[in-house]
Amino acid sequence: MNANFQNWLHRQIEELKRQNLYKVPKILETPAGGRVRMNGKEVVNLSSNNYLGLANHPKVRQAALEAIERWGVGAGAVRWIGGTMEVHDELERRLARFKNVEAVLVFTGGFTANSGCIPAVVTEKDVIISDELNHASIIDGVRLGAAAYKKSDGYVYPHKDMEALEQILKRTQGFEKRLIITDGVFSMDGDIAPLPDIVRLAEQYDAIVYVDDAHASGVLGKNGAGTTSHFDLYGRVDIQLGTLSKALGVIGGYIAGSAKLKEWLINRGRPYLFSTAHPPMVAAALIAALDIMENDPEPMRRLWDNTRWWKSALRSEGFDTMGSETPITPVYVGDEGKAQELERALWDEGVYALSIVYPTVARGKARIRTMPSAAHTQEDLAFALEAFKRARDRIGGLG
Ligand SMILES: *Cc1c(COP(=O)(O)O)cnc(C)c1O
């Protein structure tokens, strides 16, 4: 082994620790759920994206087991070389119907879908215009593309600032294509993108709209069909990304749009071309998850009942949940050190909820990010609320 390399790794890791950016994953000893055992401790888990509780749903588990019996565990190849089984094809047709679009292409993850789709649809003649709070996978996807995209050149607009977006659209008319990218639901603040305004500006200035609905999938719109459905903008959003890893409870990401878009990505989406297809049980489990979403309103109703209760309970106890409008509920702390203290105190009180600090969010805007779900009972959330109050007292208050 190269000693210089090992030393370099050591120094980098020490630097991360010094900056409080060092991460150690806790280990789950039970299936995903509202109440879990982690690192030997029973806790209420408020840091899971399993919004609808589908990750361990009996019907989804059963579908995966049956798919193993029928298809085995691996697809054996990338999609276009012979890794597309009937279940993969059926999942895409089901998703297209669910999203009310012409076509859907599934990638192995949402991150992969962004890093595959964005560079495939832009060239050096184009510009990408992006909200400053967009997800890391969008930023990576943008970096892989050849299009102009830079904060310093003003192609990144302040969060949800439609005037700034319009200014950028006015001064980028020389580019061949303009691609506006936004999260549908912002992953750290839990607020919703002003999609009707973005679509209106895009139509006025002849730009393309790309919405990353990772946190809106299964959460907003008809049966959880996302922000385009929530705002009734069918047919007016060019590219929609959805994740199959969060509310749908399994793994995967997809791009929804026109049949032409799908055709192009089959030929030019590099992770689609060069990475192996999902195991068939993944596709089968996802079809079962979609069945539940389309036919059983109960998980989504419970998600939103819990979300409303949790937000108003926190607020009435004096916690600041920022501008959140969705299950993602930040509890504002401000100071980084204090947020980390609160996270540790919550853990001691039996609640797992991670602090989010700089550089994931702006300096001085540290918070604890909580996500109630359909998997939580009323008792779980009432317990978590008491834990928040005790933890706040334990660290001497938040202000
Ligand atoms: C989680 C997330 C992704 C990545 O999705 P995966 O399916 O987990 O890879 C992409 N975009 C946003 C906004 C996300 O929150």
Side-chain angles (χ1 to χ4, degrees):
M1 280 205 285
N2 182 298
N4 281 335
F5 176 53
Q6 295 305 320
N7 282 332
W8 179 86
L9 288 172
H10 179 75
R11 286 196 309 276
Q12 298 301 313
I13 291 165
E14 289 308 304
E15 180 59 21
L16 286 181
K17 287 181 181 166
R18 207 184 56 71
Q19 294 183 24
N20 274 330
L21 296 175
Y22 181 74
K23 296 176 176 61
V24 184
K26 287 188 162 55
I27 308 294
L28 268 170
E29 294 152 13
T30 53
R35 203 175 267 274
V36 296
R37 196 172 61 242
M38 280 176 123
N39 284 21
K41 188 175 165 81
E42 294 270 348
V43 290
V44 170
N45 184 6
L46 289 173
S47 287
S48 172
N49 297 312
N50 178 26
Y51 289 117
L52 298 173
L54 298 180
N56 190 36
H57 191 289
K59 286 186 180 159
V60 178
R61 289 169 63 123
Q62 188 57 34
L65 287 170
E66 285 167 14
I68 291 174
E69 294 292 347
R70 167 129 192 243
W71 297 101
V73 294
V78 296
R79 289 281 306 275
W80 70 280
I81 293 183
T84 299
M85 294 166 155
E86 283 171 326
V87 272
H88 297 106
D89 192 47
E90 183 186 345
L91 174 62
E92 286 177 342
R93 282 188 277 107
R94 286 290 305 273
L95 283 168
R97 199 175 75 196
F98 176 65
K99 295 289 286 185
N100 199 5
V101 293
E102 276 180 13
V104 158
L105 187 70
V106 170
F107 291 78
T108 47
F111 198 109
T112 316
N114 269 329
S115 59
C117 181
I118 300 169
V121 298
V122 291
T123 73
E124 66 286 345
K125 294 179 186 154
D126 303 329
V127 66
I128 295 172
I129 307 170
S130 176
D131 187 291
E132 65 177 343
L133 292 191
N134 279 345
H135 189 255
S137 59
I138 295 182
I139 295 170
D140 280 21
V142 162
R143 284 179 182 149
L144 287 169
Y149 156 81
K150 263 199 270 148
K151 195 157 191 168
S152 56
D153 290 344
Y155 304 137
V156 174
Y157 57 93
H159 184 46
K160 295 196 298 191
D161 185 338
M162 293 298 99
E163 269 173 44
L165 173 59
E166 181 159 19
Q167 290 312 315
I168 299 172
L169 286 166
K170 278 187 177 151
R171 60 185 177 69
T172 51
Q173 311 222 23
F175 288 92
E176 188 170 288
K177 302 201 294 297
R178 277 93 56 79
L179 180 70
I180 307 170
I181 300 198
T182 183
D183 276 14
V185 169
F186 289 88
S187 50
M188 294 302 148
D189 290 34
D191 53 342
I192 303 173
L195 199 57
D197 296 330
I198 292 173
V199 165
R200 188 179 48 73
L201 286 171
E203 287 171 352
Q204 186 178 342
Y205 291 94
D206 192 25
I208 303 160
V209 178
Y210 185 130
V211 179
D212 178 342
D213 257 348
H215 283 285
S217 306
V219 173
L220 289 180
K222 180 167 180 268
N223 299 334
T227 47
T228 299
S229 163
H230 176 73
F231 289 117
D232 199 10
L233 293 167
Y234 288 111
R236 297 171 69 188
V237 175
D238 301 279
I239 304 174
Q240 299 179 60
L241 176 141
T243 186
L244 305 167
S245 323
K246 289 176 173 141
L248 276 94
V250 192
I251 184 80
Y254 61 87
I255 297 292
S258 67
K260 282 265 176 292
L261 175 65
K262 174 170 179 168
E263 231 180 305
W264 179 243
L265 292 177
I266 285 175
N267 287 279
R268 278 292 180 270
R270 291 174 65 82
Y272 179 89
L273 288 165
F274 298 111
S275 185
T276 299
H278 275 154
M281 62 192 164
V282 166
L286 285 164
I287 292 167
L290 263 181
D291 279 337
I292 295 167
M293 286 166 66
E294 288 180 328
N295 298 306
D296 180 3
E298 187 55 26
M300 208 169 146
R301 198 184 57 70
R302 218 163 43 239
L303 167 67
W304 278 98
D305 282 350
N306 283 344
T307 296
R308 278 186 286 271
W309 187 88
W310 178 241
K311 283 186 193 316
S312 83
L314 281 172
R315 284 173 190 150
S316 66
E317 293 297 340
F319 291 97
D320 174 2
T321 57
M322 306 177 74
S324 161
E325 308 164 80
T326 63
I328 297 173
T329 306
V331 175
Y332 183 78
V333 180
D335 180 73
E336 282 75 19
K338 198 90 180 171
Q340 285 165 341
E341 260 185 81
L342 182 58
E343 176 190 316
R344 284 190 293 271
L346 283 166
W347 175 259
D348 291 340
E349 296 289 348
V351 167
Y352 180 64
L354 280 187
S355 58
I356 311 280
V357 302
Y358 179 83
T360 306
V361 293
R363 226 183 263 284
K365 291 247 165 75
R367 79 277 313 255
I368 300 284
R369 188 173 70 147
T370 68
M371 284 169 290
S373 75
H376 292 105
T377 62
Q378 180 56 45
E379 294 73 52
D380 294 338
L381 295 178
F383 172 89
L385 182 69
E386 291 309 309
F388 261 88
K389 287 157 62 182
R390 282 196 302 271
R392 176 175 60 185
D393 289 345
R394 198 195 256 250
I395 66 167
L398 297 184

